[in-house]
């Protein structure tokens, strides 16, 4: 007679949000017996393909959200919730990066830090960040918040944040804002702080125009300027200025191309290494006036402008 198989207790089914991501051909962790790609992996893949191209659209400071997500190493912004802060939460601070790459952190005093530059599990960064924020608001003080896939149909940042609230980034030279007292930080956080500070590129936000960030690199400096205008119209305007010799920001500067990030276009200029943020303030303000005039034009592009546009398009890089 064949031996009877020992009986095992049935596994308690996992909640959808607790199911980890595994290889497509591996058994699904939910215990269904099917491969991951044919079970919960199908929903995960569907979420990834449903990419929201402008996840920060409708938020105050959309251009700065994009800059802090993609371009700025160390910055913080105080966030305002609709209806005010919950009891026991003195403040909510958006940060570009948090120690140990935590998605969020609830400090001992109840304050919440929300990390912006973390990987997200779905195609909607806004929904994932909102889910992390909601869990941080109820987390135990002194604990980090882990990442996860946001439930389908859950709130987005646009549902949680006050649309009238100011969005005023503060750019830092390092990441000391992580901890109130860096000298007494744990060894793990101290090591993470040291690594982050060593890798941070000096960055300054211009004050005379919106969402423009100067940064310093060993060979040359750059200005990266997130703009809210529709991409095709903006490229036409930049081409008009470039063909007319009006696309630079002064002697030795050059418009070298643009990034495409989260549905917005980010023109980039090379600057001489001796040109700092203060020196570029006035040229940037003057360029903004020239750009406004170029954006207002509906005239067909000339042959030179079309060539200039083609060059700009060829040098465009998509970040997200």
């Amino acid at each position: 007679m064949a031996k009877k198989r020992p009986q095992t207790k049935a596994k308690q089914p996992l909640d959808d949000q607790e199911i980890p991501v595994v290889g497509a051909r591996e058994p699904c962790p939910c215990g269904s017996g099917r491969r991951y790609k044919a079970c919960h992996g199908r929903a995960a893949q569907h979420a990834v393909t449903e990419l929201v191209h402008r996840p920060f659209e409708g938020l105050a400071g959309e251009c700065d959200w994009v800059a802090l997500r993609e371009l700025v190493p160390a910055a913080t912004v105080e966030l305002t919730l609709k209806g005010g802060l919950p009891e026991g939460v003195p403040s909510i601070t958006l940060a570009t990066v948090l120690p140990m790459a935590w998605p969020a952190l609830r400090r001992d005093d109840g304050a919440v830090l929300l990390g912006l530059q973390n990987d997200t599990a779905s195609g909607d960064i806004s929904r994932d960040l909102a889910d992390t924020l909601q869990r941080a608001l109820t987390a135990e003080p002194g604990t980090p918040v882990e990442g996860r896939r946001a439930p389908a149909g859950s709130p987005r940042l646009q549902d949680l944040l006050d649309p009238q609230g100011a969005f005023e980034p503060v750019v830092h030279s390092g990441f000391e804002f992580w901890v109130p007292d860096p000298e007494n930080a744990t060894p793990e956080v101290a090591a993470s702080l040291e690594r982050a500070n060593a890798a941070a590129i000096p960055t300054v936000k211009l004050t005379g125009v919106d969402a423009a960030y100067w940064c310093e690199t060993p060979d040359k400096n750059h200005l990266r300027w997130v703009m809210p205008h529709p991409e095709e119209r903006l490229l036409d305007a930049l081409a008009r200025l470039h063909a007319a010799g009006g696309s630079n920001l002064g002697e030795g500067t050059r418009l070298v191309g643009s990034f495409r990030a989260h549905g917005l276009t980010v023109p980039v200029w090379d600057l001489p290494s001796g040109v700092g943020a203060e020196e570029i303030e006035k040229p940037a303000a003057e360029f903004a006036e020239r750009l406004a005039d170029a954006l207002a034009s509906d005239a067909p592009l000339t042959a030179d402008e079309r060539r200039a546009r083609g060059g700009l398009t060829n040098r465009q890089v998509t970040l997200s």
Side-chain angles (χ1 to χ4, degrees):
M1 293 179 63
K3 294 183 178 179
K4 293 184 178 179
R5 294 181 180 178
Q7 293 183 344
T8 58
K9 294 183 179 179
K11 292 183 177 180
Q12 194 72 16
L14 294 174
D15 181 89
D16 283 354
Q17 302 307 314
E18 299 174 344
I19 295 171
V21 175
V22 298
R25 301 178 65 85
E26 294 182 41
C28 186
C30 75
S32 66
R34 291 181 291 174
R35 290 179 177 175
Y36 180 68
K37 69 176 183 179
C39 193
H40 281 84
R42 181 180 298 170
Q45 183 61 33
H46 182 64
V48 170
T49 57
E50 287 191 334
L51 178 65
V52 176
H53 291 281
R54 286 183 64 178
F56 307 118
E57 185 176 14
L59 292 173
E62 179 188 6
C63 293
D64 284 309
W65 277 92
V66 172
L68 268 56
R69 168 77 182 183
E70 299 294 340
L71 307 175
V72 181
T76 56
V77 186
E78 295 301 311
L79 298 181
T80 305
L81 291 182
K82 292 179 179 178
L85 295 169
E87 185 178 356
V89 179
S91 64
I92 300 173
T93 303
L94 179 73
T96 48
V97 181
L98 292 179
M100 316 299 290
W102 288 325
L105 170 67
R106 184 120 188 249
R107 283 179 164 164
D108 292 335
D109 65 355
V112 168
L113 293 177
L114 176 66
L116 180 57
Q117 294 183 9
N118 295 82
D119 292 335
T120 54
S122 77
D124 187 350
I125 297 171
S126 178
R127 194 179 307 282
D128 287 334
L129 287 171
D131 177 68
T132 301
L133 174 56
Q134 286 186 304
R135 289 184 291 123
L137 293 173
T138 58
E140 287 294 323
T143 61
V145 176
E146 301 294 336
R148 71 173 188 181
R149 289 196 303 271
S154 60
R156 307 175 74 238
L157 288 173
Q158 289 82 347
D159 302 314
L160 303 181
L161 300 183
D162 183 352
Q164 305 302 320
F167 192 84
E168 300 174 350
V170 177
V171 178
H172 304 274
S173 59
F175 294 87
E176 282 73 20
F177 64 85
W178 280 354
V179 287
D181 185 5
E183 294 184 358
N184 293 324
T186 65
E188 293 83 1
V189 171
S192 182
L193 178 61
E194 184 177 357
R195 289 192 300 270
N197 282 343
I201 297 173
T203 301
V204 176
K205 186 180 188 300
L206 299 195
T207 60
V209 294
D210 292 334
Y213 291 81
W214 171 95
C215 67
E216 180 183 21
T217 61
D219 297 327
K220 62 185 69 174
N221 299 340
H222 305 280
L223 183 71
R224 301 178 291 189
W225 192 341
V226 186
M227 297 187 172
H229 318 292
E231 180 180 343
E232 296 302 315
R233 193 166 188 84
L234 176 58
L235 289 175
D236 282 352
L238 292 173
R240 295 181 198 279
L241 295 176
H242 196 67
S247 65
N248 61 35
L249 299 174
E251 185 178 354
T253 69
R254 185 167 68 99
L255 175 64
V256 293
S258 62
F259 298 128
R260 183 189 292 115
H262 306 294
L264 299 182
T265 303
V266 189
V268 178
W269 286 263
D270 279 351
L271 313 174
S273 57
V275 175
E278 290 185 3
E279 288 84 0
I280 212 66
E281 286 277 9
K282 183 178 178 181
E286 293 171 346
F287 176 84
E289 294 179 0
R290 297 197 298 274
L291 180 62
D293 291 338
L295 285 165
S297 175
D298 290 324
L301 295 181
T302 66
D304 287 344
E305 290 168 349
R306 289 196 299 272
R307 281 192 291 271
R309 193 186 195 284
L312 290 170
T313 304
N314 290 336
R315 297 193 298 273
Q316 191 173 46
V317 177
T318 300
L319 296 182
S320 58

